[in-house]
């Protein structure tokens, strides 16, 4: 028998909720990650109790019970500010590729069978004893991301599972993607067209944030999944980019990786936020300046965009990062144009468009001098007012 060791088993919130329910099992990501030695951020508990009974038991124990998804059997138990989702065992009655109509059950195996991957159909009791109703432990140990039963059936229940398949492979899979799952994703890729862009974008962010998303993204491209989500995207630069990041000790950065794969209109297709859209535009601005010195790029686009663009360019050509990259970026980002509008007014210019035009001309000359021209030298270059 397999038993997991995890500090959250004895967390006061976990103990309180389990005590209140008296019959419940940790399930899904928390069990999977604990067995893999990965971090756990959220706890989910499954129970045979109908949701109304779970609410009654939790409130009787003095816990808050929030009906966050009552029709699907989900409530949120809150212990001293810590939330834990509690969901009744359930079976899918009807699905449309996005949403499911469910019926409640007391059978764990039935509940497990409606989940996506075998490694997510693992349960653990309050002592950490693992319950594996569908035989998912061997897949987890082999780091094999495999759909439960028929891959096509699982995908037709929710087409987002296509993207989850690649994302889970990026995070938890070993070398070699599951062939049956890949074939099913390729066959049913047109189902992605009906998904909300927000859901697609969220999966892309999480996939690109994996330690090494390159193999999974390459598989997405081979299955024609990538082109459906982000036409024009090319994953070829991802593997070199990951290598450069690791060499430089840089943490995975999904915005840089998104810029590296490119694609048509990621703002709309992935529903990027305003801040994320600006971030991509700034990286693109730096990329458009790649024929300029690094310091100039950093001055015009900012230090972060210059560094991200340098990574993307080096990855795209299979080269190394430029020498003294960090020092040149810092020098450019810290450079300050020494001339101001008041200097031109003091030199006899009258307020108006000519002041702005003259400043632009002098700034370009200052940049071309590698930021060396002084204020006085710039003033001496001014044409007569």
């Amino acid at each position: 028998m397999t038993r997991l060791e995890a500090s959250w088993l004895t967390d006061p919130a976990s103990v309180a909720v389990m005590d209140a329910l008296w019959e419940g099992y940790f399930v899904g990501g928390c069990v999977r990650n604990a067995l893999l030695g990965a971090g756990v951020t959220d706890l989910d508990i499954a129970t045979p109790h109908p949701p109304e009974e779970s609410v009654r038991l939790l409130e009787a124990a003095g816990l808050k019970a929030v009906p966050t998804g009552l029709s699907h059997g989900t409530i949120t138990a809150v212990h001293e500010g810590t939330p834990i989702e509690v969901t009744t065992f359930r079976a899918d009655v009807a699905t449309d590729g996005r949403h499911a109509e469910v019926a409640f059950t007391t059978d764990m195996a039935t509940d497990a069978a409606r989940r996506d991957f075998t490694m997510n159909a693992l349960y653990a009791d309050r002592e950490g004893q693992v319950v594996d109703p569908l035989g998912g432990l061997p897949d987890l140990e082999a780091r094999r991301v495999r759909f439960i039963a028929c891959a096509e059936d699982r995908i037709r229940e929710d087409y987002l599972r296509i993207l989850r398949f690649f994302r889970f492979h990026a995070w938890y899979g070993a070398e070699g993607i599951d062939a049956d799952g890949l074939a099913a994703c390729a066959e049913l890729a047109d189902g992605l067209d009906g998904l909300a862009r927000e859901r697609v974008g969220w999966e892309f962010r999480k996939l690109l944030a994996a330690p090494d998303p390159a193999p999974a993204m390459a598989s997405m491209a081979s299955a024609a999944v990538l082109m459906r989500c982000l036409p024009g995207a090319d994953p070829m630069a991802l593997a070199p980019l990951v290598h450069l990041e690791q060499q430089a000790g840089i943490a995975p950065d999904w915005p840089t990786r998104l810029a590296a794969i490119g694609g048509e209109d990621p703002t709309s297709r992935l529903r990027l936020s305003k801040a994320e859209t600006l971030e991509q535009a700034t990286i693109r601005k730096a990329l458009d300046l790649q024929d300029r010195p690094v310091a100039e790029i950093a001055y015009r686009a900012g230090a972060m965009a210059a560094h991200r663009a340098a990574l993307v360019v080096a990855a795209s050509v299979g080269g190394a990062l430029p020498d003294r990259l960090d020092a040149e970026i810092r020098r450019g980002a810290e450079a300050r144009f020494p001339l101001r509008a008041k200097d031109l007014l003091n030199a006899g210019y009258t307020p108006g468009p000519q002041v702005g035009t003259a400043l632009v001309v002098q700034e370009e000359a200052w940049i071309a001098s590698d930021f060396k021209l002084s204020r006085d030298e710039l003033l001496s270059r001014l044409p007569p007012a």
Side-chain angles (χ1 to χ4, degrees), residues 13 17 41-44 75-86:
V17 174
T41 55
D42 299 307
L43 298 181
D44 293 290
I75 59 177
T76 300
V78 183
H79 172 268
E80 296 182 357
T82 299
I84 296 178
E85 280 201 350
V86 177

Side-chain angles (χ1 to χ4, degrees), residues 16-106:
V17 174
M18 282 296 198
D19 283 347
L21 293 173
W22 62 264
E23 187 175 4
Y25 299 87
F26 298 104
V27 66
C30 60
V31 177
R32 177 198 67 229
N33 282 21
L35 289 170
L36 290 174
V40 172
T41 55
D42 299 307
L43 298 181
D44 293 290
I45 292 174
T47 179
H49 301 307
E52 295 81 3
E53 177 67 6
S54 294
V55 170
R56 187 190 68 79
L57 291 169
L58 291 166
E59 290 180 342
L63 300 175
K64 186 177 181 180
V66 182
T68 45
L70 206 57
S71 64
H72 284 77
T74 300
I75 59 177
T76 300
V78 183
H79 172 268
E80 296 182 357
T82 299
I84 296 178
E85 280 201 350
V86 177
T87 303
T88 301
F89 289 158
R90 54 195 179 174
D92 288 342
V93 174
T95 61
D96 62 5
R98 291 178 296 175
H99 310 100
E101 179 184 338
V102 302
F104 302 131
T105 178
T106 59

